[in-house]
Amino acid sequence: MHEWALAEAVLKAASEIAEKEQLAEVTEVNISIGELQNVEREIFRFALNQLKPIIFRQARFRFTRAPAVLKCRNCGNNWQLKNQKLDEATKEAIHFVPEVAHSYIKCPKCGSPDFEITQGRGICLRNIKGTRKT
Amino acid sequence: MTDPRTSIISERLKKIRRIIAVSSGKGGVGKSLIATTLALELANKGRKVGLFDLDFTSPTTHVILGLPDSAKPTEDKGLIPPTVSGLEYMSLVYYTSDRPAPLRGEDTSNALIELLAVTRWSELEYLIIDMPPGIGDAVLDLIRLVEKIEFIIVTTPSRLAFETVKKLANLLKELQVPVIGVVENMKMKGGRDIEYNTKMLSLSYLGGIPFDPNVETAIGKPSALMKTAIAQQVKRFVSSINP
């Protein structure tokens, strides 16, 4: 249910953009969902639809999945999270705060926990589309 | 690409009356003990108080509080912090399983933003934040993201510690961030230098705490902590925070 908090954040950020761009109605909200945070897409979509302000009543929420890619700062190795086995408790901890990945994941090549999350960390608002006020 | 999390932070904090960061220029000056004692003392006075450990790489307030294993945030449209010794308590340790958290600056910022964006505090009168030492990411992020932030600065009688206090105090002054005052921990008998130098910075000297060897045995026992010299002095200066 932590997805609700993230949905609230997306709608607040999208509303700020809509106001700045003087949109009368938002028709599309494009969101990137990073693999590392492991957000439950359907709960997230449900929360967005439940919480959306009136300006979003016709809006479609479109998701793009961003695979998590990690880069070791020690040896330069790049690897994908999908190739790493994590137990459910670890996945849940990372779901709440993706940075705790540094407590559980190590570079498969050199064993260092000093890596960069180059993509696929969490939720990002890519863009919104809508109709301007006349 | 827009990070949506920063948009919701002011909403999450709007029901909190005052947010006080307990900070220092150097580590090892007793920030965590003073932050925890301050939070406990305000709660003992009947105030609704939260304690947030922002020292992600070296957290200790959970040890000071004797956090039971059973205490975990509840998931309800965000994270609801559990109540520990009368305080709503949040820390990264709930999610690191007591493992090291080797975080660089950008990771620290991201974890801080995530927790500020998803933690649902109740209607608190005070949120006390235990800061990491120095003027790094946590200080800069709080100034950027938390409009009502105020600081208490902790030092020791050491000239080296106070040298770093000056840097922190000057930064906060330049950025027009309110500083409640300076607390001198492990004060030596008769020493007045820190009090004098604090006043030279145009800051309030909140008081000096003598070294108390009983503090070590009170760690993990909040009721024992409230009988130490730290608590006695915190009780004195809390009236200037909570008149």
Side-chain angles (χ1 to χ4, degrees):
Chain A
M1 302 303 273
H2 157 248
E3 280 78 358
W4 284 73
L6 297 171
E8 243 183 303
V10 166
L11 290 167
K12 183 97 192 308
S15 298
E16 285 168 4
I17 296 169
E19 197 181 329
K20 192 175 157 201
E21 297 296 327
Q22 299 192 316
L23 298 184
E25 190 156 27
V26 177
T27 53
E28 197 173 303
V29 180
N30 288 298
I31 301 160
S32 168
I33 301 182
E35 182 190 7
L36 187 63
Q37 192 158 33
N38 198 22
V39 163
E40 280 282 347
R41 191 183 288 218
E42 287 320 306
I43 296 175
F44 187 50
R45 187 188 299 280
F46 180 73
L48 286 165
N49 280 307
Q50 291 293 307
L51 295 169
K52 66 184 179 187
I54 193 122
I55 192 176
F56 293 88
R57 65 184 179 280
Q58 301 292 336
R60 279 188 68 196
F61 296 102
R62 301 183 67 176
F63 301 140
T64 313
R65 185 178 164 280
V69 179
L70 312 174
K71 182 180 182 183
C72 180
R73 286 191 174 104
N74 184 48
C75 73
N77 179 36
N78 283 284
W79 77 99
Q80 290 199 8
L81 183 75
K82 68 177 181 186
N83 298 328
Q84 199 124 25
K85 280 190 181 152
L86 300 174
D87 60 40
E88 287 308 311
T90 303
K91 280 186 195 166
E92 193 181 67
I94 295 172
H95 167 65
F96 289 119
V97 188
E99 283 62 42
V100 300
H102 292 274
S103 297
Y104 300 97
I105 296 175
K106 294 192 166 37
C107 169
K109 198 170 160 195
C110 74
S112 171
D114 184 12
F115 56 82
E116 186 185 347
I117 304 159
T118 55
Q119 67 166 64
R121 179 202 171 274
I123 301 287
C124 271
L125 178 58
R126 297 179 70 199
N127 55 51
I128 66 171
K129 292 179 184 169
T131 50
R132 281 195 201 278
K133 289 173 186 166
T134 50
Chain B
M1 287 280 201
T2 303
D3 182 350
R5 299 170 302 163
T6 51
S7 297
I8 203 73
I9 290 173
S10 57
E11 187 72 19
R12 296 276 181 254
L13 302 176
K14 76 175 183 193
K15 289 186 291 182
I16 304 174
R17 194 165 65 86
R18 291 182 70 183
I19 303 177
I20 299 172
V22 179
S23 192
S24 73
K26 267 196 174 298
V29 298
K31 267 184 318 298
S32 302
L33 278 163
I34 291 170
T36 309
T37 311
L38 173 61
L40 289 167
E41 176 56 21
L42 286 164
N44 285 347
K45 283 185 166 297
R47 306 296 180 183
K48 282 204 78 177
V49 185
L51 178 63
F52 188 7
D53 195 330
L54 269 192
D55 195 353
F56 291 152
T57 57
S58 309
T60 52
T61 54
H62 64 296
V63 182
I64 298 168
L65 285 173
L67 183 75
D69 289 342
S70 58
K72 293 275 177 213
T74 315
E75 213 185 334
D76 180 13
K77 297 182 179 175
L79 298 174
I80 314 284
T83 300
V84 180
S85 298
L87 310 173
E88 289 186 22
Y89 179 67
M90 197 56 168
S91 169
L92 197 66
V93 297
Y94 295 126
Y95 306 108
T96 54
S97 309
D98 219 20
R99 292 167 183 237
L103 304 178
R104 285 183 182 255
E106 192 188 343
D107 303 314
T108 304
S109 275
N110 256 323
L112 185 155
I113 291 168
E114 193 76 29
L115 285 176
L116 287 175
V118 303
T119 303
R120 293 178 55 209
W121 303 96
S122 69
E123 207 163 313
L124 298 176
E125 288 172 270
Y126 295 94
L127 177 61
I128 307 298
I129 303 180
D130 181 30
M131 299 291 289
I135 44 180
D137 298 86
V139 169
L140 297 173
D141 279 329
L142 284 187
I143 294 170
R144 178 170 69 99
L145 298 166
V146 181
E147 202 184 343
K148 56 184 120 177
I149 193 75
E150 304 168 69
F151 280 76
I152 287 177
I153 304 175
V154 181
T155 185
T156 65
S158 160
R159 280 172 57 197
L160 302 180
F162 199 79
E163 190 58 32
T164 62
V165 166
K166 282 193 230 167
K167 305 272 191 308
L168 175 59
N170 287 334
L171 175 80
L172 297 173
K173 193 175 178 184
E174 276 170 29
L175 298 175
Q176 297 176 312
V177 178
V179 178
I180 295 167
V182 173
V183 180
E184 182 183 6
N185 194 19
M186 296 178 257
K187 182 180 164 69
M188 289 183 279
K189 264 189 185 164
R192 302 290 299 268
D193 288 0
I194 299 296
E195 185 174 356
Y196 174 78
N197 289 328
T198 296
K199 286 174 182 162
M200 292 298 285
L201 291 173
S202 307
L203 292 176
S204 298
Y205 180 77
L206 297 175
I209 301 170
F211 177 73
D212 180 352
N214 296 323
V215 168
E216 275 303 302
T217 55
I219 287 172
K221 301 169 201 150
S223 54
L225 182 65
M226 298 316 285
K227 293 178 186 136
T228 60
I230 290 184
Q232 297 313 311
Q233 192 57 45
V234 167
K235 279 176 193 173
R236 282 191 201 113
F237 78 70
V238 96
S239 58
S240 60
I241 297 168
N242 177 42

